[in-house]
Amino acid sequence: AQSVTQLGSHVSVSEGALVLLRCNYSSSVPPYLFWYVQYPNQGLQLLLKYTTGATLVKGINGFEAEFKKSETSFHLTKPSAHMSDAAEYFCAVSRQGGKLIFGQGTELSVKP
Amino acid sequence: DGGITQSPKYLFRKEGQNVTLSCEQNLNHDAMYWYRQDPGQGLRLIYYSQIVNDFQKGDIAEGYSVSREKKESFPLTVTSAQKNPTAFYLCASSNFHDSNYGYTFGSGTRLTVV
């Protein structure tokens, strides 16, 4: 069975600081991994995804994530936080039939 | 432009009423999904459909019903049997045969019981 764990339901950083949102997965087969962002009262928007190939994946808005098979991790990073990055972030892994399993979400706050 | 449209954006329901949330997509996706979102609980799958005229229960299907008569449409009915329907509801679609595509989400419907 596949599952996703996001460490930390709430992360707070200062503007300009490094953003690190943690995601660990369990999967018996090579996974497809995704990060989504949700702004208040909106749907989820795809930030980036890992399917095959390069393990460092670049997404929109300056975010990137690295697939580390040995650590079963897919952490999301951004070198310098901006106020507009404040949102909720969801990590997800695909399972048989294409259905995604989502983590519980991490709310990112950015302090001026 | 292709996408998913959910309507209405806000919906108010009286106790004992059934209400229907609309979800329409023009992405030619085979699969469609309904999620419920409550604060601190992430996304919980209500129902999903991988093909027209077929759908399966998700993790929290009790008190909900769906239909899939057209590929483009997947309405969700919140029945009076759902005891705590106040939540944010999200519809999504995907290309079932292409697992690396991920989901496309609608903008959501916020349902409130009054």
Side-chain angles (χ1 to χ4, degrees), chain B residues 29-77:
Chain B
H29 284 170
D30 298 304
M32 298 186 74
Y33 312 83
W34 274 106
Y35 286 91
R36 171 178 172 144
Q37 188 175 24
D38 297 279
Q41 296 195 46
L43 299 172
R44 293 185 289 171
L45 182 63
I46 305 173
Y47 270 98
Y48 64 98
S49 169
Q50 295 172 335
I51 195 170
V52 175
N53 292 323
D54 188 42
F55 49 83
Q56 287 78 41
K57 293 182 179 180
D59 302 316
I60 56 164
E62 185 175 353
Y64 300 96
S65 66
V66 293
S67 63
R68 187 87 187 276
E69 297 176 0
K70 299 186 300 182
K71 188 175 185 178
E72 300 80 17
S73 179
F74 191 42
L76 173 73
T77 296

Side-chain angles (χ1 to χ4, degrees), chain A:
Chain A
Q2 296 174 318
S3 67
V4 176
T5 302
Q6 291 184 239
L7 297 176
S9 60
H10 189 204
V11 170
S12 181
V13 301
S14 298
E15 191 172 20
L18 172 71
V19 175
L20 171 60
L21 304 182
R22 300 178 186 274
C23 173
N24 288 89
Y25 69 92
S26 65
S27 176
S28 58
V29 298
Y32 295 147
L33 294 159
F34 305 81
W35 274 101
Y36 287 85
V37 61
Q38 184 183 32
Y39 299 101
N41 291 313
Q42 294 187 27
L44 277 67
Q45 178 184 2
L46 182 65
L47 266 181
L48 49 80
K49 64 181 180 182
Y50 169 79
T51 55
T52 58
T55 57
L56 181 63
V57 181
K58 294 187 183 298
I60 62 173
N61 301 338
F63 284 93
E64 62 183 32
E66 186 171 10
F67 170 59
K68 292 187 176 181
K69 185 177 180 180
S70 61
E71 298 177 7
T72 62
S73 68
F74 191 56
H75 302 330
L76 182 70
T77 61
K78 182 175 180 178
S80 178
H82 191 271
M83 296 296 291
S84 61
D85 294 327
E88 188 153 21
Y89 293 80
F90 291 91
C91 183
V93 61
S94 65
R95 65 182 185 187
Q96 185 178 5
K99 294 193 295 295
L100 295 186
I101 299 175
F102 289 89
Q104 291 295 93
T106 298
E107 184 178 355
L108 175 66
S109 300
V110 182
K111 299 175 291 185

Side-chain angles (χ1 to χ4, degrees), chain B residues 65-104:
Chain B
S65 66
V66 293
S67 63
R68 187 87 187 276
E69 297 176 0
K70 299 186 300 182
K71 188 175 185 178
E72 300 80 17
S73 179
F74 191 42
L76 173 73
T77 296
V78 184
T79 75
S80 57
Q82 172 49 240
K83 298 306 179 186
N84 184 23
T86 294
F88 191 55
Y89 291 86
L90 286 164
C91 180
S93 71
S94 72
N95 186 348
F96 173 65
H97 299 289
D98 186 3
S99 297
N100 68 357
Y101 184 80
Y103 290 2
T104 300

